[in-house]
Amino acid sequence: MSFPKHRPRRLRRSEALRSLVRETRLTTGGLIYPMFVCPGTEVRTEVSSMPGVYQQSVDQIVEECREVEALGIPGIILFGLPESKDARGTSSTSAQGVVQRAIEAIRKAKLKLLVITDVCLCEYTDHGHCGVIENGEVANDPTLAILAEQAVSHARAGADIVAPSDMMDGRVAAIRAALDENKFADIAILSYAAKYCSGFYGPFREAAQSTPQFGDRRSYQMDPANAREALKEVALDLEEGADMVMVKPALPYLDIIRRVRDTFDVPVGAYNVSGEYAMVKAAAQKGWLDEQRVVLELLTSIQRAGAEIILTYHAKDVARWLKP
Ligand SMILES: [Zn+2]
């Protein structure tokens, strides 16, 4: 392959040519929009570090869901800000919980949106950790039953997919068994299989009010330096019954997305997290970046790395930009 016989620029001469040979085509059909549901009615509070993202009461969530569906986005993922928190995150399993009520309201509104729920304890525990605390540590096995109960309560309310994000060992198996026992064999599991202990979650913790009150999450979330370990985590989750797997965050872990894509034949998702969103928003507000251009470039890079499902706060904007 040598010049002048080969001239790659021949295929870049016009938009029609570039479109013809384009390898990655970002579509709205692969996007999931994350939403934060809080108590009350007619509540819609913008998260200061995430412009355009709101903590909303159930009625407002339903309204935004109508908009999301109209834009052609196939699904949402729900996070809950409960009325009360305790050491064991018990409000996370309540049929009257904010997430459960939001799911029911979305179902009642006859929306066709896929409703995915985040399954974890950190939004519901007063200490802010993703599991229960025993002897000053996040205890793995006692956490599993609560996560499983939470997943079943989401399924009972009408969720299509549950997405455990806690990073406890064995949670997927516990959730699968509990769903099956309760006649929810058709409810799928999207596991946060390779979730890294990342500084990019900062704005989310404001949005979900889930900052750990002591210590950090390094004893359960993955070390950013590890790649081979991510493949082990994914393999374990699939063995335990995960239908789809996710890498989180997305942009600093494109190599992980690629390795997972190349190693496993299941749908792969990536979570373009709050900090990734906030960086773009802040730079765009200052006029330092062209928001539309960089967002489309970033999401294309996540898809090119191998993720066919992208969870992103940019979803609504992207759906508008991609509209023919
Ligand atoms: Zn958590």
mmCIF file with all atom_site columns, all heavy atoms in Angstrom, residues 118 120-123 128-130 165-166 195 217 220-221, ligand 1:
data_model
loop_
_atom_site.group_PDB
_atom_site.id
_atom_site.type_symbol
_atom_site.label_atom_id
_atom_site.label_alt_id
_atom_site.label_comp_id
_atom_site.label_asym_id
_atom_site.label_entity_id
_atom_site.label_seq_id
_atom_site.pdbx_PDB_ins_code
_atom_site.Cartn_x
_atom_site.Cartn_y
_atom_site.Cartn_z
_atom_site.occupancy
_atom_site.B_iso_or_equiv
_atom_site.pdbx_formal_charge
_atom_site.auth_seq_id
_atom_site.auth_comp_id
_atom_site.auth_asym_id
_atom_site.auth_atom_id
_atom_site.pdbx_PDB_model_num
ATOM   1   N  N   . ASP A 1 118 ? -31.624 1.614  38.655 1.00 0.00 ? 118 ASP A N   1
ATOM   2   C  CA  . ASP A 1 118 ? -30.355 1.403  39.332 1.00 0.00 ? 118 ASP A CA  1
ATOM   3   C  C   . ASP A 1 118 ? -30.652 0.668  40.635 1.00 0.00 ? 118 ASP A C   1
ATOM   4   O  O   . ASP A 1 118 ? -31.541 1.063  41.387 1.00 0.00 ? 118 ASP A O   1
ATOM   5   C  CB  . ASP A 1 118 ? -29.716 2.761  39.630 1.00 0.00 ? 118 ASP A CB  1
ATOM   6   C  CG  . ASP A 1 118 ? -28.370 2.616  40.303 1.00 0.00 ? 118 ASP A CG  1
ATOM   7   O  OD1 . ASP A 1 118 ? -27.393 2.365  39.583 1.00 0.00 ? 118 ASP A OD1 1
ATOM   8   O  OD2 . ASP A 1 118 ? -28.305 2.738  41.538 1.00 0.00 ? 118 ASP A OD2 1
ATOM   9   N  N   . CYS A 1 120 ? -28.947 -0.294 44.051 1.00 0.00 ? 120 CYS A N   1
ATOM   10  C  CA  . CYS A 1 120 ? -27.802 -0.059 44.932 1.00 0.00 ? 120 CYS A CA  1
ATOM   11  C  C   . CYS A 1 120 ? -28.310 0.481  46.262 1.00 0.00 ? 120 CYS A C   1
ATOM   12  O  O   . CYS A 1 120 ? -29.474 0.838  46.380 1.00 0.00 ? 120 CYS A O   1
ATOM   13  C  CB  . CYS A 1 120 ? -26.828 0.936  44.306 1.00 0.00 ? 120 CYS A CB  1
ATOM   14  S  SG  . CYS A 1 120 ? -25.185 0.843  45.073 1.00 0.00 ? 120 CYS A SG  1
ATOM   15  N  N   . LEU A 1 121 ? -27.437 0.550  47.237 1.00 0.00 ? 121 LEU A N   1
ATOM   16  C  CA  . LEU A 1 121 ? -27.869 1.056  48.545 1.00 0.00 ? 121 LEU A CA  1
ATOM   17  C  C   . LEU A 1 121 ? -27.402 2.475  48.837 1.00 0.00 ? 121 LEU A C   1
ATOM   18  O  O   . LEU A 1 121 ? -27.930 3.138  49.727 1.00 0.00 ? 121 LEU A O   1
ATOM   19  C  CB  . LEU A 1 121 ? -27.362 0.128  49.660 1.00 0.00 ? 121 LEU A CB  1
ATOM   20  C  CG  . LEU A 1 121 ? -27.944 -1.289 49.701 1.00 0.00 ? 121 LEU A CG  1
ATOM   21  C  CD1 . LEU A 1 121 ? -27.573 -1.962 51.020 1.00 0.00 ? 121 LEU A CD1 1
ATOM   22  C  CD2 . LEU A 1 121 ? -29.447 -1.278 49.517 1.00 0.00 ? 121 LEU A CD2 1
ATOM   23  N  N   . CYS A 1 122 ? -26.412 2.977  48.087 1.00 0.00 ? 122 CYS A N   1
ATOM   24  C  CA  . CYS A 1 122 ? -25.771 4.237  48.499 1.00 0.00 ? 122 CYS A CA  1
ATOM   25  C  C   . CYS A 1 122 ? -26.715 5.433  48.566 1.00 0.00 ? 122 CYS A C   1
ATOM   26  O  O   . CYS A 1 122 ? -26.512 6.340  49.355 1.00 0.00 ? 122 CYS A O   1
ATOM   27  C  CB  . CYS A 1 122 ? -24.560 4.539  47.624 1.00 0.00 ? 122 CYS A CB  1
ATOM   28  S  SG  . CYS A 1 122 ? -24.905 4.567  45.867 1.00 0.00 ? 122 CYS A SG  1
ATOM   29  N  N   . GLU A 1 123 ? -27.770 5.421  47.739 1.00 0.00 ? 123 GLU A N   1
ATOM   30  C  CA  . GLU A 1 123 ? -28.704 6.552  47.810 1.00 0.00 ? 123 GLU A CA  1
ATOM   31  C  C   . GLU A 1 123 ? -29.626 6.427  49.027 1.00 0.00 ? 123 GLU A C   1
ATOM   32  O  O   . GLU A 1 123 ? -30.318 7.374  49.381 1.00 0.00 ? 123 GLU A O   1
ATOM   33  C  CB  . GLU A 1 123 ? -29.563 6.607  46.536 1.00 0.00 ? 123 GLU A CB  1
ATOM   34  C  CG  . GLU A 1 123 ? -28.757 6.850  45.277 1.00 0.00 ? 123 GLU A CG  1
ATOM   35  C  CD  . GLU A 1 123 ? -29.140 5.893  44.145 1.00 0.00 ? 123 GLU A CD  1
ATOM   36  O  OE1 . GLU A 1 123 ? -30.328 5.843  43.797 1.00 0.00 ? 123 GLU A OE1 1
ATOM   37  O  OE2 . GLU A 1 123 ? -28.254 5.196  43.635 1.00 0.00 ? 123 GLU A OE2 1
ATOM   38  N  N   . GLY A 1 128 ? -23.993 6.387  53.238 1.00 0.00 ? 128 GLY A N   1
ATOM   39  C  CA  . GLY A 1 128 ? -23.661 6.639  51.835 1.00 0.00 ? 128 GLY A CA  1
ATOM   40  C  C   . GLY A 1 128 ? -22.868 5.549  51.137 1.00 0.00 ? 128 GLY A C   1
ATOM   41  O  O   . GLY A 1 128 ? -22.438 5.737  49.996 1.00 0.00 ? 128 GLY A O   1
ATOM   42  N  N   . HIS A 1 129 ? -22.649 4.423  51.791 1.00 0.00 ? 129 HIS A N   1
ATOM   43  C  CA  . HIS A 1 129 ? -21.955 3.322  51.123 1.00 0.00 ? 129 HIS A CA  1
ATOM   44  C  C   . HIS A 1 129 ? -22.963 2.433  50.384 1.00 0.00 ? 129 HIS A C   1
ATOM   45  O  O   . HIS A 1 129 ? -24.163 2.457  50.669 1.00 0.00 ? 129 HIS A O   1
ATOM   46  C  CB  . HIS A 1 129 ? -21.116 2.505  52.113 1.00 0.00 ? 129 HIS A CB  1
ATOM   47  C  CG  . HIS A 1 129 ? -19.783 3.136  52.376 1.00 0.00 ? 129 HIS A CG  1
ATOM   48  N  ND1 . HIS A 1 129 ? -18.780 3.145  51.437 1.00 0.00 ? 129 HIS A ND1 1
ATOM   49  C  CD2 . HIS A 1 129 ? -19.314 3.815  53.461 1.00 0.00 ? 129 HIS A CD2 1
ATOM   50  C  CE1 . HIS A 1 129 ? -17.728 3.792  51.935 1.00 0.00 ? 129 HIS A CE1 1
ATOM   51  N  NE2 . HIS A 1 129 ? -18.022 4.214  53.161 1.00 0.00 ? 129 HIS A NE2 1
ATOM   52  N  N   . CYS A 1 130 ? -22.426 1.626  49.459 1.00 0.00 ? 130 CYS A N   1
ATOM   53  C  CA  . CYS A 1 130 ? -23.284 0.815  48.588 1.00 0.00 ? 130 CYS A CA  1
ATOM   54  C  C   . CYS A 1 130 ? -23.694 -0.512 49.235 1.00 0.00 ? 130 CYS A C   1
ATOM   55  O  O   . CYS A 1 130 ? -24.374 -1.316 48.604 1.00 0.00 ? 130 CYS A O   1
ATOM   56  C  CB  . CYS A 1 130 ? -22.593 0.562  47.255 1.00 0.00 ? 130 CYS A CB  1
ATOM   57  S  SG  . CYS A 1 130 ? -22.118 2.099  46.432 1.00 0.00 ? 130 CYS A SG  1
ATOM   58  N  N   . SER A 1 165 ? -25.487 -1.682 40.628 1.00 0.00 ? 165 SER A N   1
ATOM   59  C  CA  . SER A 1 165 ? -24.295 -0.843 40.481 1.00 0.00 ? 165 SER A CA  1
ATOM   60  C  C   . SER A 1 165 ? -23.397 -0.875 41.709 1.00 0.00 ? 165 SER A C   1
ATOM   61  O  O   . SER A 1 165 ? -22.439 -0.119 41.810 1.00 0.00 ? 165 SER A O   1
ATOM   62  C  CB  . SER A 1 165 ? -24.720 0.609  40.220 1.00 0.00 ? 165 SER A CB  1
ATOM   63  O  OG  . SER A 1 165 ? -25.402 1.130  41.340 1.00 0.00 ? 165 SER A OG  1
ATOM   64  N  N   . ASP A 1 166 ? -23.715 -1.760 42.649 1.00 0.00 ? 166 ASP A N   1
ATOM   65  C  CA  . ASP A 1 166 ? -23.060 -1.756 43.962 1.00 0.00 ? 166 ASP A CA  1
ATOM   66  C  C   . ASP A 1 166 ? -21.651 -2.317 43.972 1.00 0.00 ? 166 ASP A C   1
ATOM   67  O  O   . ASP A 1 166 ? -20.856 -2.007 44.841 1.00 0.00 ? 166 ASP A O   1
ATOM   68  C  CB  . ASP A 1 166 ? -23.911 -2.614 44.897 1.00 0.00 ? 166 ASP A CB  1
ATOM   69  C  CG  . ASP A 1 166 ? -24.177 -3.965 44.228 1.00 0.00 ? 166 ASP A CG  1
ATOM   70  O  OD1 . ASP A 1 166 ? -25.048 -4.018 43.333 1.00 0.00 ? 166 ASP A OD1 1
ATOM   71  O  OD2 . ASP A 1 166 ? -23.480 -4.941 44.539 1.00 0.00 ? 166 ASP A OD2 1
ATOM   72  N  N   . LYS A 1 195 ? -17.152 -1.390 37.161 1.00 0.00 ? 195 LYS A N   1
ATOM   73  C  CA  . LYS A 1 195 ? -17.388 -0.035 37.656 1.00 0.00 ? 195 LYS A CA  1
ATOM   74  C  C   . LYS A 1 195 ? -16.157 0.395  38.441 1.00 0.00 ? 195 LYS A C   1
ATOM   75  O  O   . LYS A 1 195 ? -15.792 -0.232 39.439 1.00 0.00 ? 195 LYS A O   1
ATOM   76  C  CB  . LYS A 1 195 ? -18.633 -0.006 38.540 1.00 0.00 ? 195 LYS A CB  1
ATOM   77  C  CG  . LYS A 1 195 ? -18.952 1.396  39.064 1.00 0.00 ? 195 LYS A CG  1
ATOM   78  C  CD  . LYS A 1 195 ? -20.242 1.385  39.854 1.00 0.00 ? 195 LYS A CD  1
ATOM   79  C  CE  . LYS A 1 195 ? -20.544 2.760  40.432 1.00 0.00 ? 195 LYS A CE  1
ATOM   80  N  NZ  . LYS A 1 195 ? -21.784 2.750  41.215 1.00 0.00 ? 195 LYS A NZ  1
ATOM   81  N  N   . ARG A 1 217 ? -14.859 4.269  48.295 1.00 0.00 ? 217 ARG A N   1
ATOM   82  C  CA  . ARG A 1 217 ? -15.445 3.035  47.747 1.00 0.00 ? 217 ARG A CA  1
ATOM   83  C  C   . ARG A 1 217 ? -14.393 2.099  47.154 1.00 0.00 ? 217 ARG A C   1
ATOM   84  O  O   . ARG A 1 217 ? -14.716 1.204  46.391 1.00 0.00 ? 217 ARG A O   1
ATOM   85  C  CB  . ARG A 1 217 ? -16.506 3.398  46.711 1.00 0.00 ? 217 ARG A CB  1
ATOM   86  C  CG  . ARG A 1 217 ? -17.666 4.201  47.317 1.00 0.00 ? 217 ARG A CG  1
ATOM   87  C  CD  . ARG A 1 217 ? -18.862 4.264  46.370 1.00 0.00 ? 217 ARG A CD  1
ATOM   88  N  NE  . ARG A 1 217 ? -20.043 4.766  47.061 1.00 0.00 ? 217 ARG A NE  1
ATOM   89  C  CZ  . ARG A 1 217 ? -20.620 5.947  46.808 1.00 0.00 ? 217 ARG A CZ  1
ATOM   90  N  NH1 . ARG A 1 217 ? -20.133 6.726  45.873 1.00 0.00 ? 217 ARG A NH1 1
ATOM   91  N  NH2 . ARG A 1 217 ? -21.690 6.328  47.484 1.00 0.00 ? 217 ARG A NH2 1
ATOM   92  N  N   . TYR A 1 220 ? -14.652 -1.808 47.130 1.00 0.00 ? 220 TYR A N   1
ATOM   93  C  CA  . TYR A 1 220 ? -15.572 -2.579 46.272 1.00 0.00 ? 220 TYR A CA  1
ATOM   94  C  C   . TYR A 1 220 ? -15.555 -2.143 44.807 1.00 0.00 ? 220 TYR A C   1
ATOM   95  O  O   . TYR A 1 220 ? -15.699 -2.981 43.932 1.00 0.00 ? 220 TYR A O   1
ATOM   96  C  CB  . TYR A 1 220 ? -16.994 -2.639 46.832 1.00 0.00 ? 220 TYR A CB  1
ATOM   97  C  CG  . TYR A 1 220 ? -17.580 -1.372 47.417 1.00 0.00 ? 220 TYR A CG  1
ATOM   98  C  CD1 . TYR A 1 220 ? -18.547 -0.657 46.716 1.00 0.00 ? 220 TYR A CD1 1
ATOM   99  C  CD2 . TYR A 1 220 ? -17.202 -0.895 48.667 1.00 0.00 ? 220 TYR A CD2 1
ATOM   100 C  CE1 . TYR A 1 220 ? -19.127 0.488  47.258 1.00 0.00 ? 220 TYR A CE1 1
ATOM   101 C  CE2 . TYR A 1 220 ? -17.768 0.251  49.203 1.00 0.00 ? 220 TYR A CE2 1
ATOM   102 C  CZ  . TYR A 1 220 ? -18.726 0.940  48.495 1.00 0.00 ? 220 TYR A CZ  1
ATOM   103 O  OH  . TYR A 1 220 ? -19.278 2.071  49.019 1.00 0.00 ? 220 TYR A OH  1
ATOM   104 N  N   . GLN A 1 221 ? -15.360 -0.850 44.532 1.00 0.00 ? 221 GLN A N   1
ATOM   105 C  CA  . GLN A 1 221 ? -15.260 -0.463 43.129 1.00 0.00 ? 221 GLN A CA  1
ATOM   106 C  C   . GLN A 1 221 ? -13.840 -0.725 42.625 1.00 0.00 ? 221 GLN A C   1
ATOM   107 O  O   . GLN A 1 221 ? -12.897 -0.805 43.403 1.00 0.00 ? 221 GLN A O   1
ATOM   108 C  CB  . GLN A 1 221 ? -15.618 1.022  42.964 1.00 0.00 ? 221 GLN A CB  1
ATOM   109 C  CG  . GLN A 1 221 ? -17.087 1.278  43.305 1.00 0.00 ? 221 GLN A CG  1
ATOM   110 C  CD  . GLN A 1 221 ? -17.474 2.731  43.215 1.00 0.00 ? 221 GLN A CD  1
ATOM   111 O  OE1 . GLN A 1 221 ? -16.624 3.610  43.101 1.00 0.00 ? 221 GLN A OE1 1
ATOM   112 N  NE2 . GLN A 1 221 ? -18.768 2.993  43.292 1.00 0.00 ? 221 GLN A NE2 1
HETATM 113 ZN ZN  . ZN  B 2 .   ? -23.966 2.720  45.074 1.00 0.00 ? 1   ZN  B ZN  1
#
